Amino acid sequence: MKVLFIGDIVGSVGRAAVKKVLPALQSKFNPHIVIANGENAAAGRGITANIVKELLELGVHGITMGNHTWDNKDIFEWIDDEPRIVRPANFSAEAPGQGGTVIKANGKELGIISVQGRTFLPPIDCPFRIADEWIEKLRGKTKCILVDFHAEATSEKIAMGWHLDGKASIVVGTHTHVQTNDDTILPHGTAYLTDVGMCGSKEGVLGMERTAVLYKFKTQLPARFVVDEGAWHFHALLVDIDESTGKAKQTTKIRMTETDLLMM
Ligand code: FE2
């Protein structure tokens, strides 16, 4: 089974990148299941019901979230009715939504789990223990499981990769928006990448308009960040999984610009 995981989609520029690139990747790689991190899809903060619909219509089968899950308040009205979206499983037990699910597409089944880190992010329940609990819940349904670890620190992400080696088929990091160059298959068969990267403007700072970010860094004064409208880049990871064992066989990092797309 081939799984394509798309890094944090940032605003309308990121969604436009997905719209342009995904058909080309579908033709070239024929992924069975496409998962995307959508926590920045609505103007850089959160996601809306309309954007969920838009991403699903583009060919995304499942959506993971992160620390911006609740930024658009309308999410409280629909998240419990949308089975294809997961928010960090280590949020409060009182939080609506689900931390994991099984995505079915093209005759294949993939468990997906979202967990959020605790280093340089708000203190929440233990992502290591909660990831184990969710893997245990989903394992009876499928051997193929993807964990999106939405975390800031590379150390915490690498530690999660080792913790889940042999338990999950894929462990990918999101949140930092910069694709790392360490994709690997760990000794017990887990495909791992510290951060998948992002889909959005490559001319801003992590997808946001750079003037305001620079102003804040240089003056230490408040600034309102907006999504940058510059040229996009698109980052993803493709993983081939042996369905009989749930172990990863191959990883392919994808890093594209508009120019790369024209040359495909
Ligand atoms: Fe985030």
Side-chain angles (χ1 to χ4, degrees), residues 8 39-40 66-68 150 175 177:
D8 304 42
E39 74 134 13
N40 303 122
N67 55 306
H68 289 296
H150 198 77
H175 179 66
H177 294 199

Short mmCIF file of all heavy atoms in Angstrom, two decimals, residues 8 39-40 66-68 150 175 177, ligand 1:
data_model
loop_
_atom_site.label_atom_id
_atom_site.label_comp_id
_atom_site.label_asym_id
_atom_site.label_seq_id
_atom_site.Cartn_x
_atom_site.Cartn_y
_atom_site.Cartn_z
N ASP A 8 2.04 20.29 6.53
CA ASP A 8 1.10 21.35 6.92
C ASP A 8 0.69 22.25 5.74
O ASP A 8 1.53 22.97 5.20
CB ASP A 8 1.69 22.25 8.00
CG ASP A 8 2.15 21.51 9.25
OD1 ASP A 8 2.76 20.42 9.11
OD2 ASP A 8 1.91 22.02 10.35
N GLU A 39 -4.02 21.71 9.84
CA GLU A 39 -4.29 22.61 10.97
C GLU A 39 -4.02 24.08 10.68
O GLU A 39 -4.44 24.94 11.44
CB GLU A 39 -3.49 22.17 12.20
CG GLU A 39 -2.02 22.49 12.11
CD GLU A 39 -1.49 23.10 13.40
OE1 GLU A 39 -2.18 23.05 14.42
OE2 GLU A 39 -0.37 23.64 13.35
N ASN A 40 -3.33 24.37 9.55
CA ASN A 40 -3.08 25.77 9.15
C ASN A 40 -3.80 26.11 7.85
O ASN A 40 -3.50 27.12 7.21
CB ASN A 40 -1.58 26.03 8.94
CG ASN A 40 -0.74 25.71 10.16
OD1 ASN A 40 0.17 24.89 10.08
ND2 ASN A 40 -1.03 26.33 11.27
N GLY A 66 -3.46 19.77 14.92
CA GLY A 66 -2.37 20.10 15.83
C GLY A 66 -2.78 21.21 16.77
O GLY A 66 -3.96 21.33 17.12
N ASN A 67 -1.82 22.06 17.14
CA ASN A 67 -2.07 23.07 18.17
C ASN A 67 -3.05 24.16 17.73
O ASN A 67 -3.57 24.90 18.56
CB ASN A 67 -0.75 23.71 18.64
CG ASN A 67 0.05 24.29 17.49
OD1 ASN A 67 0.34 23.60 16.51
ND2 ASN A 67 0.40 25.55 17.58
N HIS A 68 -3.30 24.28 16.42
CA HIS A 68 -4.27 25.29 15.92
C HIS A 68 -5.66 24.69 15.69
O HIS A 68 -6.51 25.33 15.06
CB HIS A 68 -3.76 25.93 14.63
CG HIS A 68 -2.60 26.84 14.84
ND1 HIS A 68 -2.68 28.00 15.57
CD2 HIS A 68 -1.31 26.76 14.41
CE1 HIS A 68 -1.50 28.60 15.59
NE2 HIS A 68 -0.65 27.87 14.90
N HIS A 150 2.82 16.04 16.01
CA HIS A 150 2.84 17.49 15.78
C HIS A 150 3.63 18.13 16.92
O HIS A 150 3.11 18.34 18.02
CB HIS A 150 1.39 17.99 15.75
CG HIS A 150 1.26 19.34 15.12
ND1 HIS A 150 1.29 19.53 13.76
CD2 HIS A 150 1.11 20.57 15.67
CE1 HIS A 150 1.13 20.82 13.50
NE2 HIS A 150 1.04 21.47 14.64
N HIS A 175 4.39 20.49 12.05
CA HIS A 175 4.36 21.72 12.88
C HIS A 175 5.49 22.68 12.57
O HIS A 175 5.27 23.89 12.58
CB HIS A 175 4.37 21.40 14.38
CG HIS A 175 4.37 22.61 15.27
ND1 HIS A 175 3.31 23.49 15.33
CD2 HIS A 175 5.31 23.11 16.12
CE1 HIS A 175 3.59 24.44 16.20
NE2 HIS A 175 4.79 24.25 16.68
N HIS A 177 7.23 23.04 9.73
CA HIS A 177 7.09 23.54 8.36
C HIS A 177 8.36 23.50 7.51
O HIS A 177 8.37 24.04 6.41
CB HIS A 177 6.54 24.98 8.35
CG HIS A 177 5.14 25.10 8.85
ND1 HIS A 177 4.33 26.21 8.59
CD2 HIS A 177 4.38 24.29 9.61
CE1 HIS A 177 3.17 26.05 9.18
NE2 HIS A 177 3.17 24.90 9.81
FE FE2 B 1 1.28 23.58 14.51
#
